[in-house]
Amino acid sequence: MSVLIAGGAGYIGSTVASACLDAGITPVILDSLVRGRAEFTGGRVFYEGDIADGALVDRIFAEHPDISAVVHCAALIVVPESVADPIGYYEANVTKSLAFVKHLRRNGCDRLVFSSSASIYRAEDGSPVTEDSPLAPQSPYARTKAVCEEMFADIAAAGEMRVLSLRYFNPIGADPLLRTGLQLKRPSHALGMLIRAHQAGTPFPVTGVNYPTRDGTGIRDYVHVWDLAAAHIAAIERFDSILTASAPSIAINLGTGSGTTVRELCAAFNNVVSTPLATVDADPRPGDVAGGYTTSDRAARLLGWTPELSLEEGIRSALEWIPVRDKLLKD
């Protein structure tokens, strides 16, 4: 069995591809390399090109008639960039996704696993969210994910295909075998900033200490990227039992089911590194919110999935990946 992974040369997609290989599934990668890395496609079936290129999609299905499902990870994902260039983001993430679905249907493929995002929730007060919580995306990037979910649900309701949307919370870490990982050398998420502060020997600023959380600092749901990849394998294997003609689309949150505050993240980081990282309290940045986390009841019930890897394991693999990344990626 083969699975087409659009965006399979990026952080999430390449990790899903590794999990497919380990599960005996052949990943067929389609990636434009706008953000993905060719280095992540070594030894894997790879087509360089755009998801909106109908002739290329047709060729992929003609050359791999055993493709049984598609994992759609192809998207631009940088929030500030989306604010500066909303047209580019809607074109890349929405317009091209619609074209991609048309190409999939033309080739008889009706199983789609869509990489969505927890950023479509407001999650401002530090409380947990479920799949039924109100949606309130706060950036053009997040809105492209919400629009795609609604667009795919409409297409599914018309009987054109079945769609499983996986809403990721905050992925961290790398493939445990260090085949792939985060390609960015200066990531802007909290763990990346912790690592940079530790490397520089400077205190890490804890921005905001008066939120309505258990220790006053912001809270997020950090899930190991390898656990996310395992959820995709479960989604592929259970697809037909989850989605039927009467229920052709559904969304599932993917997170740990418990939040981690900034102070707890710093403590976990210090449990992993040999030289403890100092912190300093600071005022919240403009636009910062308390954050939130998910419950994982639906993922456990429908996918049979619960995260297995700890926060410390995610931090450790992220640190172990850095020298591998620097050797593998030349720029």
Side-chain angles (χ1 to χ4, degrees):
M1 178 176 72
S2 295
V3 170
L4 175 60
I5 305 178
Y11 175 40
I12 304 293
S14 65
T15 310
V16 172
S18 293
C20 284
L21 288 169
D22 292 354
I25 300 169
T26 300
V28 178
I29 296 170
L30 169 61
D31 200 296
S32 65
L33 300 184
V34 170
R35 297 293 162 84
R37 299 295 304 226
E39 296 94 333
F40 290 171
T41 66
R44 304 173 182 188
V45 179
F46 171 51
Y47 293 84
E48 181 178 351
D50 198 287
I51 60 173
D53 185 341
L56 177 57
V57 174
D58 291 347
R59 180 161 70 90
I60 291 171
F61 276 90
E63 294 176 359
H64 302 276
D66 61 335
I67 291 174
S68 62
V70 173
V71 176
H72 179 14
C73 299
L76 301 177
I77 63 171
V78 180
V79 170
E81 185 180 71
S82 76
V83 174
D85 183 21
I87 292 176
Y89 265 66
Y90 278 99
E91 180 180 21
N93 294 359
V94 178
T95 304
K96 290 186 178 183
S97 288
L98 178 59
F100 186 43
V101 168
K102 289 174 61 178
H103 304 327
L104 298 181
R105 289 300 304 123
R106 184 173 62 253
N107 284 281
C109 182
D110 72 342
R111 297 183 183 94
L112 180 67
V113 178
F114 175 56
S115 297
S116 191
S117 169
S119 64
I120 66 176
Y121 300 113
R122 185 176 294 275
E124 289 185 340
D125 61 0
S127 60
V129 297
T130 72
E131 290 85 356
D132 297 320
S133 294
L135 305 185
Q138 300 296 296
S139 69
Y141 157 69
R143 281 187 282 275
T144 66
K145 290 296 185 181
V147 168
C148 278
E149 279 201 27
E150 293 176 355
M151 178 175 72
F152 292 150
D154 287 341
I155 293 168
E160 295 294 318
M161 66 187 330
R162 292 170 291 160
V163 183
L164 178 55
S165 294
L166 301 180
R167 295 173 179 168
Y168 310 154
F169 276 69
N170 300 81
I172 61 170
D175 171 0
L177 298 181
L178 301 180
R179 289 167 286 191
T180 62
L182 190 63
Q183 65 268 49
L184 301 176
K185 292 192 175 184
R186 294 182 62 83
S188 59
H189 57 58
L191 178 55
M193 295 171 70
L194 272 171
I195 292 172
R196 292 209 302 274
H198 187 258
Q199 291 172 332
T202 57
F204 175 76
V206 178
T207 52
V209 296
N210 292 306
Y211 292 117
T213 62
R214 52 183 168 265
D215 62 17
T217 63
I219 192 167
R220 300 291 186 272
D221 194 334
Y222 299 101
V223 57
H224 199 298
V225 69
W226 193 244
D227 278 327
L228 285 184
H232 286 75
I233 301 302
I236 293 165
E237 294 176 342
R238 296 187 177 214
F239 195 96
D240 289 340
S241 64
I242 296 171
L243 297 170
T244 63
S246 59
S249 66
I250 194 169
I252 298 177
N253 287 346
L254 295 182
T256 63
S258 62
T260 298
T261 68
V262 177
R263 293 202 194 282
E264 291 165 347
L265 178 64
C266 292
F269 187 85
N270 282 339
N271 287 338
V272 172
V273 297
S274 56
T275 305
L277 173 72
T279 64
V280 59
D281 292 351
D283 292 333
R285 298 165 299 183
D288 277 355
V289 296
Y293 58 98
T294 185
T295 60
S296 297
D297 298 349
R298 185 177 292 184
R301 177 167 51 86
L302 296 182
L303 297 179
W305 175 88
T306 54
E308 296 182 355
L309 298 170
S310 69
L311 178 62
E312 284 82 0
E313 287 173 302
I315 294 169
R316 184 175 294 109
S317 71
L319 291 168
E320 291 172 346
W321 166 248
I322 291 173
V324 177
R325 178 202 63 197
D326 291 346
K327 183 178 180 179
L328 180 66
L329 308 181
K330 303 305 180 185
D331 53 17

